[in-house]
Amino acid sequence: PRWSGAPNSLIAWTPIVDGNRIFTVRQLTATAPISGAPFDSPVVAMDLATGQTLWTFNCPFATGDWSTVVYGAHSGRVFVGRGGNGGSASAPVYCLDAATGSVLWTSADEVATGAYDGVVFADDGDPIFAWHLWVKRLDFDTGATVWTTARSCSVSGDCGPARRGDALYLDEVGPGGQKLSRLDIASGTRLYQSQVMSGFLSQNTPLCAPDPSGNGTLVFYPRTQSNQSVDFLYAFRDTGKAFELLWTAAALAGAGSQHAITPDGGLVMVGFTGKLEVRDQLTGILRHQTATAVNAQINQSHIAVDRVGRIFYGNGGFPGTVTSYSPSLLPRWSVAVPNLNQGGPVLAADGTLLIAGAGTNFLAYYTPPCVPADLNCDRSVGPADLADRKSTRLN
């Protein structure tokens, strides 16, 4: 443990990290109906090393707005607002100074992006918002709208984008299911779409990664709805001209579930049996899986992977659990978290692992780096890691 504790919260929202600061919402009153606004859901900035509260911001409230959302942080700025509630609430975006919490600008246009959608950033810092009907890029410096593109998501929430290079990826409605769309990040122009992924609806966000073979971008999408016949994770290669289907694997249904890639070319997902799996990104071949199910119901998985391949899995439960696994999915440790929801796990750039829960529960874990003179130092190694290394040597 590095530190623990945070201002009280009825529900856990995602910690966003930029540099040495954490930005999150600590929910003080119920979300439906909104009560106590604008003091119902303050943005709290915390010091990454100590957990100390640095500043708070009470987001302005107008009739029809929703609870405050921290959309993201980039280059010393934090983007917050009160959009969401399944895309039914539109509100301006507030750009805050990360150091002080002061308002730098307020967008003229409103967005309906919520806490379960998420945003991505262009190279120049422009935030890109998506919800079930629209995608909107705002200027980093002024908040002016750069472009707006219509889109059609199968549900009214959990409609976030993924981005790599000049490509923006979205799931959209297709005949008999959903398709992945590639948009040009500079203009918002829709360039092409994937084949149809069969099914009625889906409530997840795409994930993309560099193609290990160097032939483009890999794009993964868990198209699930609690129907074994159509619940699959799809793996595509974006060649720059079209989507090529590489493989599919049966997947557990989830609303707002997230997935992860590993440093050695693996993809972490939850299989239809509820077991956590690592599959090869290019072939879909199963490399590892947990001995038992991590979640046997509709889940809200959140997964983080560190630079040496250790996997941290949060089930988003009420109550929830975060479990740490070795790269081959041997269990290392676990911790119970009251009302985990969207509270992590989240890894900061310095290796700090953050887990937010309800109440004052907020946990930070950290392994101090070894000093060069300490040749025997390897504080990261536990029994599961040693078993992994032995297995690797035997193989």
Side-chain angles (χ1 to χ4, degrees):
R2 191 174 195 182
W3 50 262
S4 64
N8 188 59
S9 187
L10 293 179
I11 192 169
W13 299 113
T14 305
I16 301 291
V17 184
D18 186 38
N20 61 356
R21 297 183 181 91
I22 305 164
F23 309 99
T24 191
V25 168
R26 301 303 283 173
Q27 190 86 36
L28 298 180
T29 64
T31 58
I34 301 296
S35 60
F39 307 105
D40 58 308
S41 49
V43 178
V44 179
M46 304 164 64
D47 184 271
L48 179 63
T50 66
Q52 176 186 359
T53 295
L54 303 174
W55 51 260
T56 60
F57 174 76
N58 294 301
C59 196
F61 178 86
T63 302
D65 286 353
W66 197 237
S67 295
T68 308
V69 181
V70 177
Y71 293 120
H74 193 291
S75 302
R77 296 189 173 190
V78 189
F79 302 88
V80 307
R82 285 184 174 271
N85 191 23
S88 64
S90 295
V93 176
Y94 295 85
C95 175
L96 310 180
D97 184 290
T100 65
S102 60
V103 177
L104 300 177
W105 52 255
T106 304
S107 68
D109 286 351
E110 297 185 340
V111 304
T113 301
Y116 297 90
D117 297 304
V119 306
V120 294
F121 292 90
D123 285 338
D124 63 0
D126 286 2
I128 301 174
F129 299 82
W131 60 101
H132 65 302
L133 298 177
W134 300 95
V135 188
K136 189 181 295 289
R137 176 173 175 171
L138 300 183
D139 184 86
F140 178 82
D141 294 312
T142 67
T145 298
V146 178
W147 52 256
T148 301
T149 297
R151 61 88 65 98
S152 176
C153 190
S154 64
V155 292
S156 58
D158 304 291
C159 296
R163 176 246 163 170
R164 183 168 186 263
D166 61 359
L168 187 72
Y169 299 102
L170 304 163
D171 70 296
E172 299 195 89
V173 173
Q178 287 81 47
K179 292 184 175 183
L180 286 180
S181 297
R182 172 173 173 165
L183 276 62
D184 177 71
I185 200 169
S187 65
T189 303
R190 185 175 288 95
L191 301 177
Y192 46 84
Q193 294 182 304
S194 71
Q195 67 184 65
V196 171
M197 299 172 285
S198 298
F200 176 64
L201 55 81
S202 190
Q203 294 179 260
N204 292 309
T205 293
L207 170 72
C208 53
D211 186 339
S213 67
N215 295 319
T217 295
L218 301 184
V219 188
F220 306 98
Y221 185 69
R223 204 239 61 81
T224 59
Q225 64 181 64
S226 297
N227 182 338
Q228 188 169 6
S229 65
V230 292
D231 284 0
F232 294 93
L233 185 140
Y234 287 75
F236 294 94
R237 173 184 287 123
D238 178 8
T239 66
K241 297 181 179 179
F243 288 102
E244 295 179 352
L245 178 63
L246 298 180
W247 54 269
T248 64
L252 186 69
S257 292
Q258 299 179 8
H259 302 75
I261 60 172
T262 65
D264 60 352
L267 174 79
V268 189
M269 60 174 285
V270 183
F272 194 84
T273 61
K275 294 181 178 181
L276 197 62
E277 301 177 349
V278 176
R279 292 183 177 271
D280 186 274
Q281 292 178 18
L282 290 175
T283 66
I285 292 174
L286 180 65
R287 294 182 178 179
H288 313 290
Q289 68 177 2
T290 53
T292 58
V294 295
N295 201 324
Q297 302 174 353
I298 294 178
N299 73 98
Q300 188 182 211
S301 297
H302 288 74
I303 303 169
V305 181
D306 71 13
R307 66 184 64 187
V308 297
R310 289 172 299 219
I311 296 164
F312 305 89
Y313 172 79
N315 63 4
F318 296 81
T321 303
V322 174
T323 304
S324 172
Y325 294 94
S326 73
S328 64
L329 290 179
L330 297 173
R332 302 176 69 236
W333 52 262
S334 66
V335 59
V337 184
N339 300 353
L340 179 58
N341 192 46
Q342 293 266 309
V346 170
L347 276 166
D350 71 349
T352 301
L353 179 73
L354 301 173
I355 303 170
T360 60
N361 291 275
F362 200 114
L363 307 171
Y365 298 94
Y366 181 67
T367 301
C370 298
V371 297
D374 189 355
L375 300 179
N376 296 316
C377 176
D378 193 352
R379 300 189 183 99
S380 65
V381 176
D385 303 297
L386 292 173
D388 258 8
R389 294 182 183 184
K390 181 178 179 180
S391 175
T392 300
R393 287 197 300 270
L394 292 176
N395 289 336

PDB file of all heavy atoms in Angstrom, residues 184-201:
ATOM      1  N   ASP A 184     -11.991   9.361 -40.020  1.00  0.00           N
ATOM      2  CA  ASP A 184     -10.767  10.156 -40.095  1.00  0.00           C
ATOM      3  C   ASP A 184     -10.750  11.121 -38.922  1.00  0.00           C
ATOM      4  O   ASP A 184     -11.690  11.897 -38.738  1.00  0.00           O
ATOM      5  CB  ASP A 184     -10.716  10.917 -41.418  1.00  0.00           C
ATOM      6  CG  ASP A 184      -9.492  11.807 -41.499  1.00  0.00           C
ATOM      7  OD1 ASP A 184      -8.376  11.282 -41.625  1.00  0.00           O
ATOM      8  OD2 ASP A 184      -9.659  13.043 -41.407  1.00  0.00           O
ATOM      9  N   ILE A 185      -9.681  11.086 -38.134  1.00  0.00           N
ATOM     10  CA  ILE A 185      -9.654  11.879 -36.912  1.00  0.00           C
ATOM     11  C   ILE A 185      -9.567  13.377 -37.203  1.00  0.00           C
ATOM     12  O   ILE A 185      -9.991  14.202 -36.404  1.00  0.00           O
ATOM     13  CB  ILE A 185      -8.492  11.427 -36.004  1.00  0.00           C
ATOM     14  CG1 ILE A 185      -8.739  11.867 -34.554  1.00  0.00           C
ATOM     15  CG2 ILE A 185      -7.154  11.907 -36.514  1.00  0.00           C
ATOM     16  CD1 ILE A 185      -7.794  11.250 -33.564  1.00  0.00           C
ATOM     17  N   ALA A 186      -9.046  13.749 -38.359  1.00  0.00           N
ATOM     18  CA  ALA A 186      -8.896  15.167 -38.687  1.00  0.00           C
ATOM     19  C   ALA A 186     -10.210  15.810 -39.108  1.00  0.00           C
ATOM     20  O   ALA A 186     -10.462  16.975 -38.803  1.00  0.00           O
ATOM     21  CB  ALA A 186      -7.853  15.340 -39.785  1.00  0.00           C
ATOM     22  N   SER A 187     -11.056  15.044 -39.811  1.00  0.00           N
ATOM     23  CA  SER A 187     -12.273  15.625 -40.372  1.00  0.00           C
ATOM     24  C   SER A 187     -13.559  15.014 -39.849  1.00  0.00           C
ATOM     25  O   SER A 187     -14.640  15.586 -40.025  1.00  0.00           O
ATOM     26  CB  SER A 187     -12.253  15.473 -41.897  1.00  0.00           C
ATOM     27  OG  SER A 187     -12.298  14.096 -42.258  1.00  0.00           O
ATOM     28  N   GLY A 188     -13.481  13.829 -39.222  1.00  0.00           N
ATOM     29  CA  GLY A 188     -14.684  13.134 -38.789  1.00  0.00           C
ATOM     30  C   GLY A 188     -15.363  12.365 -39.904  1.00  0.00           C
ATOM     31  O   GLY A 188     -16.427  11.773 -39.695  1.00  0.00           O
ATOM     32  N   THR A 189     -14.756  12.316 -41.088  1.00  0.00           N
ATOM     33  CA  THR A 189     -15.349  11.610 -42.225  1.00  0.00           C
ATOM     34  C   THR A 189     -15.329  10.105 -41.994  1.00  0.00           C
ATOM     35  O   THR A 189     -14.298   9.538 -41.601  1.00  0.00           O
ATOM     36  CB  THR A 189     -14.582  11.937 -43.516  1.00  0.00           C
ATOM     37  OG1 THR A 189     -14.591  13.351 -43.716  1.00  0.00           O
ATOM     38  CG2 THR A 189     -15.203  11.240 -44.711  1.00  0.00           C
ATOM     39  N   ARG A 190     -16.444   9.441 -42.248  1.00  0.00           N
ATOM     40  CA  ARG A 190     -16.517   7.984 -42.154  1.00  0.00           C
ATOM     41  C   ARG A 190     -15.877   7.403 -43.407  1.00  0.00           C
ATOM     42  O   ARG A 190     -16.315   7.660 -44.529  1.00  0.00           O
ATOM     43  CB  ARG A 190     -17.968   7.532 -42.003  1.00  0.00           C
ATOM     44  CG  ARG A 190     -18.148   6.040 -41.786  1.00  0.00           C
ATOM     45  CD  ARG A 190     -19.607   5.685 -41.532  1.00  0.00           C
ATOM     46  NE  ARG A 190     -20.077   6.128 -40.209  1.00  0.00           N
ATOM     47  CZ  ARG A 190     -20.711   7.253 -39.972  1.00  0.00           C
ATOM     48  NH1 ARG A 190     -20.978   8.099 -40.959  1.00  0.00           N
ATOM     49  NH2 ARG A 190     -21.107   7.571 -38.753  1.00  0.00           N
ATOM     50  N   LEU A 191     -14.868   6.565 -43.232  1.00  0.00           N
ATOM     51  CA  LEU A 191     -14.102   6.056 -44.357  1.00  0.00           C
ATOM     52  C   LEU A 191     -14.597   4.691 -44.831  1.00  0.00           C
ATOM     53  O   LEU A 191     -14.795   4.485 -46.021  1.00  0.00           O
ATOM     54  CB  LEU A 191     -12.619   5.974 -43.978  1.00  0.00           C
ATOM     55  CG  LEU A 191     -11.982   7.304 -43.553  1.00  0.00           C
ATOM     56  CD1 LEU A 191     -10.539   7.101 -43.125  1.00  0.00           C
ATOM     57  CD2 LEU A 191     -12.066   8.331 -44.693  1.00  0.00           C
ATOM     58  N   TYR A 192     -14.768   3.744 -43.908  1.00  0.00           N
ATOM     59  CA  TYR A 192     -15.283   2.417 -44.276  1.00  0.00           C
ATOM     60  C   TYR A 192     -15.704   1.691 -43.021  1.00  0.00           C
ATOM     61  O   TYR A 192     -15.441   2.147 -41.892  1.00  0.00           O
ATOM     62  CB  TYR A 192     -14.264   1.595 -45.075  1.00  0.00           C
ATOM     63  CG  TYR A 192     -12.861   1.600 -44.513  1.00  0.00           C
ATOM     64  CD1 TYR A 192     -12.471   0.732 -43.489  1.00  0.00           C
ATOM     65  CD2 TYR A 192     -11.893   2.469 -45.026  1.00  0.00           C
ATOM     66  CE1 TYR A 192     -11.186   0.736 -42.987  1.00  0.00           C
ATOM     67  CE2 TYR A 192     -10.597   2.486 -44.529  1.00  0.00           C
ATOM     68  CZ  TYR A 192     -10.259   1.602 -43.517  1.00  0.00           C
ATOM     69  OH  TYR A 192      -8.973   1.613 -43.016  1.00  0.00           O
ATOM     70  N   GLN A 193     -16.379   0.525 -43.221  1.00  0.00           N
ATOM     71  CA  GLN A 193     -16.911  -0.242 -42.110  1.00  0.00           C
ATOM     72  C   GLN A 193     -16.532  -1.712 -42.244  1.00  0.00           C
ATOM     73  O   GLN A 193     -16.194  -2.190 -43.327  1.00  0.00           O
ATOM     74  CB  GLN A 193     -18.440  -0.109 -42.036  1.00  0.00           C
ATOM     75  CG  GLN A 193     -18.930   1.296 -41.702  1.00  0.00           C
ATOM     76  CD  GLN A 193     -20.448   1.355 -41.585  1.00  0.00           C
ATOM     77  OE1 GLN A 193     -21.168   0.989 -42.494  1.00  0.00           O
ATOM     78  NE2 GLN A 193     -20.932   1.819 -40.435  1.00  0.00           N
ATOM     79  N   SER A 194     -16.635  -2.420 -41.121  1.00  0.00           N
ATOM     80  CA  SER A 194     -16.361  -3.852 -41.116  1.00  0.00           C
ATOM     81  C   SER A 194     -17.584  -4.622 -41.593  1.00  0.00           C
ATOM     82  O   SER A 194     -18.648  -4.047 -41.845  1.00  0.00           O
ATOM     83  CB  SER A 194     -16.004  -4.308 -39.698  1.00  0.00           C
ATOM     84  OG  SER A 194     -17.167  -4.285 -38.871  1.00  0.00           O
ATOM     85  N   GLN A 195     -17.434  -5.933 -41.688  1.00  0.00           N
ATOM     86  CA  GLN A 195     -18.587  -6.787 -41.917  1.00  0.00           C
ATOM     87  C   GLN A 195     -19.506  -6.717 -40.710  1.00  0.00           C
ATOM     88  O   GLN A 195     -19.126  -6.244 -39.637  1.00  0.00           O
ATOM     89  CB  GLN A 195     -18.131  -8.227 -42.125  1.00  0.00           C
ATOM     90  CG  GLN A 195     -17.527  -8.866 -40.869  1.00  0.00           C
ATOM     91  CD  GLN A 195     -16.998 -10.257 -41.124  1.00  0.00           C
ATOM     92  OE1 GLN A 195     -16.055 -10.436 -41.884  1.00  0.00           O
ATOM     93  NE2 GLN A 195     -17.620 -11.249 -40.491  1.00  0.00           N
ATOM     94  N   VAL A 196     -20.743  -7.189 -40.860  1.00  0.00           N
ATOM     95  CA  VAL A 196     -21.712  -7.169 -39.771  1.00  0.00           C
ATOM     96  C   VAL A 196     -21.347  -8.224 -38.729  1.00  0.00           C
ATOM     97  O   VAL A 196     -21.005  -9.366 -39.061  1.00  0.00           O
ATOM     98  CB  VAL A 196     -23.135  -7.418 -40.299  1.00  0.00           C
ATOM     99  CG1 VAL A 196     -24.114  -7.606 -39.136  1.00  0.00           C
ATOM    100  CG2 VAL A 196     -23.583  -6.252 -41.158  1.00  0.00           C
ATOM    101  N   MET A 197     -21.412  -7.824 -37.472  1.00  0.00           N
ATOM    102  CA  MET A 197     -21.283  -8.743 -36.349  1.00  0.00           C
ATOM    103  C   MET A 197     -22.693  -9.016 -35.848  1.00  0.00           C
ATOM    104  O   MET A 197     -23.361  -8.125 -35.319  1.00  0.00           O
ATOM    105  CB  MET A 197     -20.415  -8.110 -35.260  1.00  0.00           C
ATOM    106  CG  MET A 197     -19.001  -7.783 -35.717  1.00  0.00           C
ATOM    107  SD  MET A 197     -18.045  -6.831 -34.497  1.00  0.00           S
ATOM    108  CE  MET A 197     -18.796  -5.186 -34.697  1.00  0.00           C
ATOM    109  N   SER A 198     -23.183 -10.217 -35.996  1.00  0.00           N
ATOM    110  CA  SER A 198     -24.590 -10.535 -35.763  1.00  0.00           C
ATOM    111  C   SER A 198     -24.980 -10.340 -34.310  1.00  0.00           C
ATOM    112  O   SER A 198     -24.210 -10.641 -33.389  1.00  0.00           O
ATOM    113  CB  SER A 198     -24.876 -11.988 -36.170  1.00  0.00           C
ATOM    114  OG  SER A 198     -24.636 -12.176 -37.543  1.00  0.00           O
ATOM    115  N   GLY A 199     -26.212  -9.854 -34.106  1.00  0.00           N
ATOM    116  CA  GLY A 199     -26.744  -9.660 -32.772  1.00  0.00           C
ATOM    117  C   GLY A 199     -27.667  -8.470 -32.720  1.00  0.00           C
ATOM    118  O   GLY A 199     -27.732  -7.660 -33.649  1.00  0.00           O
ATOM    119  N   PHE A 200     -28.364  -8.337 -31.605  1.00  0.00           N
ATOM    120  CA  PHE A 200     -29.375  -7.291 -31.488  1.00  0.00           C
ATOM    121  C   PHE A 200     -28.809  -5.990 -30.952  1.00  0.00           C
ATOM    122  O   PHE A 200     -29.134  -4.910 -31.421  1.00  0.00           O
ATOM    123  CB  PHE A 200     -30.522  -7.787 -30.589  1.00  0.00           C
ATOM    124  CG  PHE A 200     -31.572  -6.754 -30.317  1.00  0.00           C
ATOM    125  CD1 PHE A 200     -32.347  -6.235 -31.348  1.00  0.00           C
ATOM    126  CD2 PHE A 200     -31.798  -6.303 -29.029  1.00  0.00           C
ATOM    127  CE1 PHE A 200     -33.315  -5.273 -31.096  1.00  0.00           C
ATOM    128  CE2 PHE A 200     -32.768  -5.350 -28.766  1.00  0.00           C
ATOM    129  CZ  PHE A 200     -33.527  -4.839 -29.801  1.00  0.00           C
ATOM    130  N   LEU A 201     -27.960  -6.064 -29.929  1.00  0.00           N
ATOM    131  CA  LEU A 201     -27.407  -4.855 -29.332  1.00  0.00           C
ATOM    132  C   LEU A 201     -26.078  -5.186 -28.677  1.00  0.00           C
ATOM    133  O   LEU A 201     -25.718  -6.351 -28.496  1.00  0.00           O
ATOM    134  CB  LEU A 201     -28.374  -4.245 -28.309  1.00  0.00           C
ATOM    135  CG  LEU A 201     -28.869  -5.141 -27.165  1.00  0.00           C
ATOM    136  CD1 LEU A 201     -27.869  -5.254 -26.026  1.00  0.00           C
ATOM    137  CD2 LEU A 201     -30.195  -4.614 -26.630  1.00  0.00           C
TER     138      LEU A 201
END
